[in-house]
Amino acid sequence: MKNLIKTVINKQKSFFNSKETFNVDLRIQHLLNLKKEIKNNEKEIELALFKDLGKSEGESYLTEIHFVYSELKIALKNIKKWTKRKSVRSSLLNFPSSDYIIAQPYGNTLHISPWNYPFQLSIAPLIGAIAAGNTVVLKPSEYSEHTTEVLEKIINNVFDEQYVKVIKGGPDVATELLNYNWDYIFFTGSVNVGKIVAKQAALHLTPTTLELGGKNPCVVDESASLKVTAKRIVWGKFINCGQTCIAPDFLIVNKKIKEKLIFEIINQLKLIYGNDPEKSDSYGRIISEKHIKFLSSLIQDQKIIYGGKINEKLRYFEPTLIEIKGFDSKIMEQEIFGPILPIFEYDKFDEVDDIIDKYKNPLALYIFTKNKRLGENFLKKHSFGGGAINDTVVHIINDRLPFGGIGNSGMGKYHGESTFNTFSHFKPYISKPLWIDIPLRYPPFKTKINFLKRVLKLM
Ligand code: NAD
């Protein structure tokens, strides 16, 4: 493995140094080929996602394949515009000058991805990296092995290894990769591993995007329309079996409507997944037995109000609602990342602010309310990655919205143009003629200072 990694990195370094990736037509051609190859392999991708996570065809298309097509579409449509040198107004002190910004690729980039949306979380960053002119080594998760096989096949059919290479393996391989001096690292995964990545990156001062996780609170105030609220919570929480980084982790519900909301949530669960979700085509599976065991441990000694059925061998975990009275249990001290929804009731809204402060900087924050001002103020005053009023998860759909965390939930942002920007250094320069040289900036200043001050005031 060490030799393979070394060879690939050397090849990618030479390739980037050859400046071939500076050719925007080469980037476009590869993105078009990538799109074609994904199209040719749609069925295989869906099957792999089914094997890894029990995802239905509809869910795979909506949350993984279509997502990637839309990133490809926006990149292909805008790449010429994004890569064009931009002129900006020059400064009076520099007169005369022409001032520009050029998007320069970082160079050799390393991408490490997780297992929960193993296709789109591997391909979406790659699209931006290629559009911006970089090379990529992609290390997908060891858990989503079927999707990794298809990813590798697609990448091999589109790119030479000097341009993009999938390197398979677990933490040991990622650790080895992180020993090298990359020009950019894009990591998606847990907070703990994010810290390891950041530490390694710091050794070479490598710029890094960290797309991490956390506990995402979801508040429901007494004015919310309960049917639609329940429907949107159920959708965001139980899609992909709760294994979604921006899924609502737990609910904070006004005590006046708690019982009614729980009733509606159970209703919606039955409508969407039927009385026995194990038999539903639309309900997924937990990624591994290890993860099932962890989730089971979280509901020990908890008050289960709905669900709780588990089949370890089949990696099935029923949508489960639990009632909590405080925040000092194991389930409230870490990200759940599974189909368990703790519900906490509040009396006065001030309590909600304290809870949100306790889970500072979540990746996502949601509030359901008919009181628009309350919703807007709530999202304005708290710090979080991204969020929504009266919905969950859907802010990820709009590629014009940058996606990423803050503090513990990560750093950097991507999607749409933000991905291109992430993988570009915006290089400024100015160009001046030699035929004129205004003496104002040169010492001695004694005779010019008053005039200089007047000029600077004009700016
Ligand atoms: P993880 O951190 O365990 O693994 C992610 C990747 O890091 C994998 O490829 C893995 O092989 C690698 N890795 C594991 N240990 C490593 C180590 N010691 N050194 C270097 N690399 C290592 O995360 P996961 O379990 O695959 O994914 C779940 C986590 O990812 C959750 O916390 C979730 O919230 C987060 N996530 C975040 C986003 C986002 O966009 N912010 C998206 C999806 C998942």
Side-chain angles (χ1 to χ4, degrees):
M1 182 54 77
K2 275 192 181 178
N3 283 344
L4 170 75
I5 290 174
K6 212 176 206 166
T7 308
V8 168
I9 291 174
N10 285 338
K11 280 188 181 173
Q12 293 204 347
K13 276 192 194 303
S14 308
F15 184 58
F16 184 75
N17 289 340
S18 75
K19 308 281 181 245
E20 279 190 59
T21 67
F22 282 50
N23 177 350
V24 175
D25 289 332
L26 178 102
R27 304 180 199 173
I28 292 173
Q29 196 48 57
H30 280 84
L31 291 178
L32 285 169
N33 292 348
L34 179 62
K35 187 173 159 193
K36 202 163 133 200
E37 196 61 25
I38 293 172
K39 190 102 212 114
N40 291 341
N41 285 283
E42 262 182 24
K43 284 280 156 259
E44 270 192 61
I45 299 165
E46 279 164 9
L47 184 63
L49 289 166
F50 177 74
K51 286 184 182 163
D52 286 331
L53 287 147
K55 289 194 194 197
S56 65
E57 189 185 333
E59 189 173 320
S60 290
Y61 195 81
L62 189 69
T63 64
E64 303 247 20
I65 299 170
H66 166 73
F67 192 92
V68 163
Y69 283 147
S70 129
E71 288 290 308
L72 276 165
K73 190 172 165 192
I74 186 168
L76 285 163
K77 188 171 159 212
N78 293 293
I79 189 168
K80 293 259 172 171
K81 187 173 90 191
W82 294 340
T83 50
K84 209 168 146 198
R85 183 182 72 174
K86 288 178 188 62
S87 284
V88 297
R89 216 175 69 197
S90 62
S91 158
L92 198 57
L93 262 189
N94 281 335
F95 182 83
S97 81
S98 305
D99 297 16
Y100 303 107
I101 299 171
I102 294 182
Q104 175 188 283
Y106 274 102
N108 304 117
T109 70
L110 169 66
H111 301 210
I112 300 177
S113 58
W115 49 260
N116 62 326
Y117 290 85
F119 185 68
Q120 64 109 326
L121 291 174
S122 298
I123 297 285
L126 183 144
I127 292 166
I130 294 304
N134 301 276
T135 66
V136 178
V137 164
L138 166 64
K139 209 295 289 167
S141 171
E142 63 279 20
Y143 285 106
S144 40
E145 51 182 343
H146 297 97
T147 311
T148 296
E149 289 302 320
V150 189
L151 272 172
E152 188 181 37
K153 177 182 155 196
I154 290 173
I155 295 298
N156 285 347
N157 285 344
V158 176
F159 298 94
D160 288 339
E161 68 177 16
Q162 61 180 358
Y163 200 174
V164 179
K165 174 77 176 166
V166 173
I167 296 192
K168 295 183 285 191
D172 50 333
V173 171
T175 304
E176 176 62 19
L177 284 164
L178 286 167
N179 284 330
Y180 288 84
N181 186 354
W182 298 93
D183 297 309
Y184 202 97
I185 299 175
F186 192 101
F187 172 80
T188 308
S190 61
V191 175
N192 286 343
V193 179
K195 287 178 185 170
I196 296 173
V197 172
K199 213 165 166 185
Q200 279 303 106
L203 295 178
H204 301 288
L205 288 182
T206 303
T208 309
T209 293
L210 300 175
E211 296 286 343
L212 311 178
K215 280 187 98 62
N216 307 316
C218 175
V219 178
V220 185
D221 104 323
E222 75 242 56
S223 69
S225 308
L226 296 185
K227 232 183 204 129
V228 65
T229 297
K231 197 175 187 175
R232 290 175 186 179
I233 289 172
V234 166
W235 179 77
K237 176 70 189 186
F238 297 101
I239 194 164
N240 199 22
C241 258
Q243 302 166 114
T244 303
C245 57
I246 49 173
D249 187 280
F250 63 99
L251 298 187
I252 311 167
V253 185
N254 187 297
K255 76 179 206 189
K256 288 186 210 138
I257 49 137
K258 192 182 96 183
E259 290 311 320
K260 278 193 218 141
L261 180 69
I262 290 173
F263 175 80
E264 289 298 345
I265 289 178
I266 293 171
N267 246 351
Q268 286 302 329
L269 280 170
K270 286 180 179 162
L271 277 173
I272 296 178
Y273 301 117
N275 284 329
D276 185 2
E278 195 168 358
K279 296 203 181 98
S280 163
D281 294 340
S282 307
Y283 190 66
R285 293 296 179 264
I286 304 301
I287 186 72
S288 77
E289 274 189 50
K290 178 183 129 186
H291 291 80
I292 279 265
K293 284 195 167 71
F294 165 72
L295 291 169
S296 313
S297 76
L298 292 183
I299 56 170
Q300 296 308 311
D301 308 324
Q302 293 292 342
K303 184 177 169 195
I304 297 175
I305 47 181
Y306 183 79
K309 199 174 137 200
I310 299 160
N311 185 335
E312 270 188 25
K313 284 270 158 307
L314 298 176
R315 295 183 284 127
Y316 170 73
F317 200 114
E318 191 177 12
T320 299
L321 309 180
I322 64 166
E323 193 172 19
I324 52 162
K325 296 278 179 213
F327 298 94
D328 49 5
S329 56
K330 186 175 162 192
I331 198 166
M332 294 313 291
E333 278 161 6
Q334 54 200 305
E335 181 182 15
I336 297 171
F337 216 55
I340 310 167
L341 184 61
I343 302 170
F344 178 82
E345 68 171 42
Y346 73 89
D347 191 7
K348 301 238 155 38
F349 203 78
D350 298 355
E351 294 169 51
V352 174
D353 286 334
D354 291 344
I355 300 165
I356 308 298
D357 288 345
K358 182 176 160 61
Y359 297 98
K360 203 173 151 220
N361 292 329
L363 184 60
L365 182 62
Y366 306 111
I367 181 163
F368 285 83
T369 178
K370 272 197 193 130
N371 182 341
K372 206 166 172 227
R373 170 126 27 115
L374 178 101
E376 300 280 354
N377 282 342
F378 180 72
L379 292 195
K380 209 160 152 187
K381 74 179 164 194
H382 290 293
S383 168
F384 57 93
I389 299 172
N390 294 330
D391 215 330
T392 64
V393 176
V394 290
H395 56 289
I396 199 171
I397 293 171
N398 184 353
D399 54 38
R400 283 171 289 276
L401 295 176
F403 181 89
I406 174 168
N408 240 15
S409 56
M411 59 179 84
K413 47 197 169 307
Y414 77 125
H415 288 174
E417 188 171 359
S418 298
T419 319
F420 176 85
N421 294 347
T422 285
F423 288 104
S424 304
H425 165 61
F426 288 94
K427 184 165 66 178
Y429 72 91
I430 70 170
S431 172
K432 299 188 72 160
L434 286 166
W435 57 269
I436 178 169
D437 195 30
I438 293 170
L440 212 53
R441 68 174 154 134
Y442 299 107
F445 292 117
K446 235 182 192 156
T447 52
K448 309 170 202 160
I449 188 69
N450 287 337
F451 181 63
L452 187 65
K453 279 183 177 172
R454 254 180 282 140
V455 170
L456 290 175
K457 251 189 206 155
L458 290 177
M459 290 166 64

